[in-house]
Amino acid sequence: MLDRLKSIEERYEKLNELLSDPEVVNDPKKLREYSKEQSDIQETVDVYRQYRDASEQLADAKAMLEEKLDAEMRDMVKEEISELQKETETLSERLKVLLIPKDPNDDKNVIMEIRGAAGGEEAALFAGNLYRMYSRYAELQGWKTEVMEANVTGTGGYKEIIFMITGSGAYSKLKYENGAHRVQRVPETESGGRIHTSTATVACLPEAEEVEVDIHEKDIRVDTFASSGPGGQSVNTTMSAVRLTHLPTGVVVSCQDEKSQIKNKEKAMKVLRARIYDKFQQEAQAEYDQTRKSAVGSGDRSERIRTYNFPQNRVTDHRIGLTIQKLDQILEGKLDEVVEALIVEDQASKLQQSEG
Amino acid sequence: MKTIFEALKWASSYLTEAGREENAAELLLLYDTGMERSKLLASLQEPIGEDELYRFKRHVEMHKEGVPVQYIIGKEFFYGREFMVNDDVLIPRPETEEVVFHLLEKYRSVFSEDGKLEVVDVGTGSGAIAVTLALENQSFSVSAVDISKEALQVASANAEKLGANVRFYQGDLLEPFIKAGKKADIIVSNPPYISEEEMADLSEIVRFHEPLHALTDGGDGLKFYKRFMEDIPLVMKDKVFVVFEIGWKQGAAVKDLILKAFKGAEVEVLKDINGKDRTICALIHKNK
């Protein structure tokens, strides 16, 4: 571990040099690239330096014990040693976590898809609760939510709702939401007061860069709402929806935002790219999973990951056995406690894998 | 107490039955609640305020009677930006975004030299084309002309709100340029191109509410293109790049007009997202 940290520190120093090199300073692309690389390892280097200082102090203190000391002094040094030992251990644990390879998608924006699954209208209403939860969570994080497609049911739930969340670190926090979410409650329409169980599925896809997925214009069929008739000045339409079909994969994406057709097309392209990227990733993941399995990994989409129990005001995440008695608050977007627990668990399991 | 969803559901079916578009209700409700769409869709089960519901019902009624949604809410999006509109101007159409898109793509192959290009948008209306071009391309020096003083007020308000640097002139087609002896590198226009005959088929929303002089020339729909053929030589330098929006069946006719007026012009007819003739681009060189 120390060798790796040493080389990271060397790289950090090198980046310092590069970032003051006039050639780099005048090249915005390189400047951005190097600045990002440096800020990505900043914390690791800071903690490593603290660790190194503490280790040196610890060695010095131990050396002092070899010398002739009066009893009072000896006690003081012993106390110092025990404190420094604790400190180096804490720092070393932090370093292990910092050295876990970062998910390259963590900084990306996400496309989320929620679908009412088993349970008819109840499932659709629950899909609506989940959409509200994520959009409130996004709001609290200072992220932006834009709905691309919403298929509303007769009682105001969602058969399907697809939206994009834009903001720093969105994927790193939302990626654990992939899977089946289960609700237990008495539906408003249920006269006998029986508790029903329904499910909705959530998919969270990282936005894909153009370089990651190459889509050819000729492979796409474009449909709009107003495809017949003269169009142009003759028609005043408020339907700027665009539907794209990627012919080779059969992936279909629609976007109906209110902000102009040309922007809807651009956004639909983003979703299309993300879906195709996800398709490839899922295929690669399936292969990878045969050898290793991550406890809370964003793997199996049908896995039941969480239960929302209304009568008991309880949310249970089955992957980590976490139960929180604050369902009302969680549905209002206060997801932090759950997300943090999932991140910790994910890191612990990755740590185990890298050590094992 | 009604929920937002109940209000929306009522308005959607009420308007759909009256032959209006389904999502008109959502646009009106967004306006009356002052919510973003993502927020509205997260609040379907919430109650709607009494005042909001009252206003919403009134606006739904107005739209049912034929007033375009965009005039009620006072805005329309174009190229991702919000433009103010009122009944002095044609409501920007999505197809016109494509006209702008083609211009921005194609002008590069025409002008390889650096430096500012003089662009004029003729019959600017809400200013959608002129303002978008000014904001999308820093090397454009954009002017806009309209015969209607009221339209120019809307257009210049949009330019100001969106921070676009556009000079506005009142006048008939290129007349202000001709009088001032100004020249243009790029001429763009979305002139009224609906023929008198076709006007009868239009929805009442368009026919009885949008400015007639922005829709039809009262004749065959080609009148303004013909007039452009006479005016263009008076404002062009050695060459000029002309981009027109055209009606769905006018590709051949307008191409013909240009080729007859300008020998050796390079003309291209482009179809819109729905496969209809929509944009015509022409590179015209001065006759030697």
Side-chain angles (χ1 to χ4, degrees):
Chain A
M1 180 166 97
L2 291 177
D3 284 348
R4 257 183 79 200
L5 286 165
K6 205 159 182 226
S7 66
I8 290 172
E9 193 191 24
E10 275 162 16
R11 178 66 188 164
Y12 183 86
E13 298 292 352
K14 177 76 187 162
L15 286 166
N16 261 346
E17 261 171 54
L18 285 167
L19 285 168
S20 54
D21 183 339
E23 205 178 299
V24 174
V25 173
N26 291 322
D27 182 344
K29 198 172 156 239
K30 272 190 184 158
L31 190 65
R32 203 170 337 115
E33 204 177 291
Y34 290 146
S35 308
K36 184 174 182 319
E37 191 186 341
Q38 197 183 38
S39 78
D40 282 347
I41 57 173
Q42 180 78 51
E43 194 184 349
T44 312
V45 171
D46 289 346
V47 176
Y48 170 55
R49 284 174 177 168
Q50 285 173 35
Y51 172 80
R52 205 176 45 198
D53 289 349
S55 304
E56 276 165 17
Q57 283 174 38
L58 182 61
D60 289 349
K62 279 180 176 164
M64 270 178 83
L65 278 186
E66 306 292 315
E67 291 163 22
K68 248 189 171 174
L69 297 168
D70 58 40
E72 197 183 333
M73 192 66 182
R74 187 165 289 274
D75 284 349
M76 257 176 67
V77 172
K78 272 186 180 162
E79 198 175 312
E80 199 189 338
I81 287 174
S82 117
E83 263 165 35
L84 284 166
Q85 261 163 348
K86 258 186 242 155
E87 195 185 335
T88 49
E89 267 165 40
T90 316
L91 289 169
S92 151
E93 286 307 312
R94 267 183 78 191
L95 284 171
K96 279 185 198 158
V97 173
L98 284 167
L99 284 176
I100 296 172
K102 222 179 146 208
D103 182 338
N105 288 327
D106 272 357
D107 290 333
K108 287 183 179 168
N109 300 324
V110 302
I111 286 135
M112 293 193 87
E113 310 184 341
I114 304 176
R115 293 184 177 85
E121 274 300 328
E122 242 313 273
L125 285 170
F126 179 53
N129 295 136
L130 291 177
Y131 166 63
R132 184 180 165 85
M133 175 177 84
Y134 292 126
S135 66
R136 299 283 297 216
Y137 178 64
E139 203 181 323
L140 292 169
Q141 303 283 325
W143 298 335
K144 195 173 84 184
T145 304
E146 288 167 287
V147 177
M148 285 157 175
E149 212 184 336
N151 194 336
V152 183
T153 63
T155 58
Y158 293 105
K159 206 160 134 188
E160 177 182 72
I161 181 161
I162 297 168
F163 52 102
M164 184 159 173
I165 293 182
T166 318
S168 133
Y171 187 73
S172 70
K173 291 183 174 171
L174 289 169
K175 63 180 170 183
Y176 307 107
E177 299 303 310
N178 270 312
H181 296 238
R182 185 170 73 165
V183 64
Q184 293 175 323
R185 67 177 160 196
V186 182
E188 274 180 38
T189 50
E190 159 73 54
S191 50
R194 278 186 312 124
I195 293 175
H196 287 219
T197 299
S198 322
T199 52
T201 59
V202 174
C204 173
L205 322 179
E207 187 185 346
E209 309 275 341
E210 261 174 68
V211 288
E212 289 167 323
V213 184
D214 197 13
I215 297 177
H216 301 287
E217 196 78 25
K218 67 171 173 47
D219 288 339
I220 293 174
R221 196 183 71 219
V222 184
D223 297 300
T224 67
F225 179 77
S227 52
S228 65
Q233 291 168 4
S234 301
V235 180
N236 173 16
T237 178
T238 52
M239 295 289 283
S240 52
V242 173
R243 188 175 67 192
L244 303 182
T245 308
H246 186 241
L247 300 168
T249 55
V251 175
V252 180
V253 168
S254 302
C255 184
Q256 165 65 43
D257 198 349
E258 74 275 31
K259 297 185 181 160
S260 86
Q261 192 163 64
I262 219 150
K263 296 291 157 188
N264 277 334
K265 192 179 167 195
E266 270 174 29
K267 256 185 227 162
M269 275 301 280
K270 280 190 183 175
V271 181
L272 192 66
R273 203 172 279 126
R275 287 248 187 97
I276 294 169
Y277 180 67
D278 180 63
K279 205 177 148 96
F280 296 149
Q281 289 244 312
Q282 289 281 307
E283 284 163 13
Q285 184 74 33
E287 256 172 58
Y288 180 83
D289 277 350
Q290 306 214 314
T291 48
R292 284 173 165 193
K293 189 111 190 157
S294 159
V296 292
S298 30
D300 188 359
R301 292 279 159 81
S302 59
E303 182 194 354
R304 193 181 74 212
I305 61 162
R306 203 177 288 152
T307 296
Y308 303 71
N309 183 302
F310 278 67
Q312 296 172 23
N313 197 34
R314 162 175 70 80
V315 173
T316 301
D317 196 292
H318 304 293
R319 295 164 294 181
I320 52 175
L322 174 75
T323 292
I324 301 176
Q325 302 286 346
K326 282 183 246 166
L327 172 127
D328 48 344
Q329 289 184 34
I330 286 175
L331 287 179
E332 280 303 307
K334 301 213 170 94
L335 266 175
D336 280 322
E337 199 177 333
V338 184
V339 171
E340 271 156 31
L342 288 162
I343 291 175
V344 167
E345 175 64 25
D346 189 25
Q347 284 176 346
S349 93
K350 281 188 179 139
L351 210 56
Q352 216 170 16
Q353 277 175 11
S354 67
E355 283 168 353
Chain B
M1 185 85 88
K2 263 193 178 177
T3 62
I4 287 181
F5 174 67
E6 283 161 348
L8 192 60
K9 192 177 170 184
W10 161 76
S12 293
S13 62
Y14 185 65
L15 289 174
T16 318
E17 268 169 42
R20 305 285 175 248
E21 286 176 341
E22 201 190 334
N23 73 326
E26 187 182 291
L27 290 169
L28 291 172
L29 192 54
L30 287 170
Y31 174 66
D32 287 317
T33 57
M35 285 186 191
E36 294 265 335
R37 183 163 182 256
S38 61
K39 174 112 185 184
L40 183 94
L41 293 173
S43 312
L44 291 183
Q45 309 297 342
E46 312 262 302
I48 181 169
E50 245 171 76
D51 292 351
E52 289 171 350
L53 184 60
Y54 175 79
R55 274 202 309 271
F56 179 55
K57 281 183 171 167
R58 199 161 46 99
H59 290 149
V60 167
E61 201 55 46
M62 278 169 77
H63 183 50
K64 187 203 160 221
E65 293 303 320
V67 182
V69 170
Q70 298 93 332
Y71 288 159
I72 299 172
I73 67 179
K75 65 186 182 192
E76 172 65 306
F77 281 93
F78 186 84
Y79 228 85
R81 298 185 183 91
E82 191 183 294
F83 284 78
M84 296 180 274
V85 294
N86 62 27
D87 60 8
D88 290 323
V89 299
L90 182 82
I91 295 159
R93 306 289 201 252
E95 289 90 341
T96 309
E97 295 181 314
E98 294 183 76
V99 175
V100 169
F101 179 81
H102 290 310
L103 191 162
L104 289 167
E105 285 279 296
K106 298 204 175 271
Y107 89 94
R108 282 173 214 281
S109 60
V110 178
F111 301 96
S112 48
E113 56 272 26
D114 288 337
K116 284 266 180 190
L117 291 169
E118 280 300 327
V119 182
V120 56
D121 171 21
V122 183
T124 195
S126 65
I129 297 177
V131 169
T132 305
L133 288 175
L135 293 173
E136 292 290 324
N137 195 311
Q138 302 298 318
S139 69
F140 288 171
S141 163
V142 182
S143 303
V145 183
D146 206 291
I147 198 164
S148 153
K149 207 172 94 194
E150 291 77 19
L152 284 173
Q153 278 170 359
V154 176
S156 56
N158 278 319
E160 196 179 335
K161 187 185 79 145
L162 295 166
N165 190 7
V166 178
R167 290 178 304 279
F168 292 97
Y169 300 90
Q170 193 185 353
D172 191 10
L173 288 198
L174 284 161
E175 175 199 64
F177 261 56
I178 298 167
K179 275 189 179 162
K182 274 173 70 81
K183 306 285 175 199
D185 297 299
I186 300 175
I187 297 170
V188 57
S189 184
N190 177 20
Y193 54 66
I194 305 172
S195 69
E196 196 183 11
E197 204 182 323
E198 278 178 307
M199 280 300 288
D201 301 329
L202 264 51
S203 151
E204 56 190 341
I205 293 185
V206 177
R207 194 154 44 118
F208 299 142
H209 295 274
E210 293 195 82
L212 208 58
H213 64 86
L215 294 166
T216 181
D217 58 9
D220 62 356
L222 294 171
K223 185 174 129 193
F224 287 96
Y225 303 109
K226 290 173 188 159
R227 285 190 52 198
F228 267 115
M229 298 308 117
E230 292 164 21
D231 284 0
I232 286 169
L234 305 175
V235 299
M236 71 182 285
K237 301 175 183 171
D238 285 344
K239 65 182 175 193
V240 64
F241 186 52
V242 177
V243 179
F244 292 139
E245 179 169 324
I246 54 173
W248 65 324
K249 289 174 174 168
Q250 292 175 332
V254 178
K255 182 174 180 177
D256 207 42
L257 281 177
I258 298 172
L259 287 174
K260 278 201 176 120
F262 303 99
K263 261 206 194 81
E266 297 162 40
V267 187
E268 197 179 358
V269 178
L270 300 158
K271 297 203 183 294
D272 65 20
I273 202 168
N274 296 311
K276 316 275 165 59
D277 287 355
R278 190 61 61 197
T279 306
I280 198 156
C281 298
L283 173 59
I284 297 168
H285 290 277
K286 200 154 226 168
N287 286 332
K288 301 264 158 62

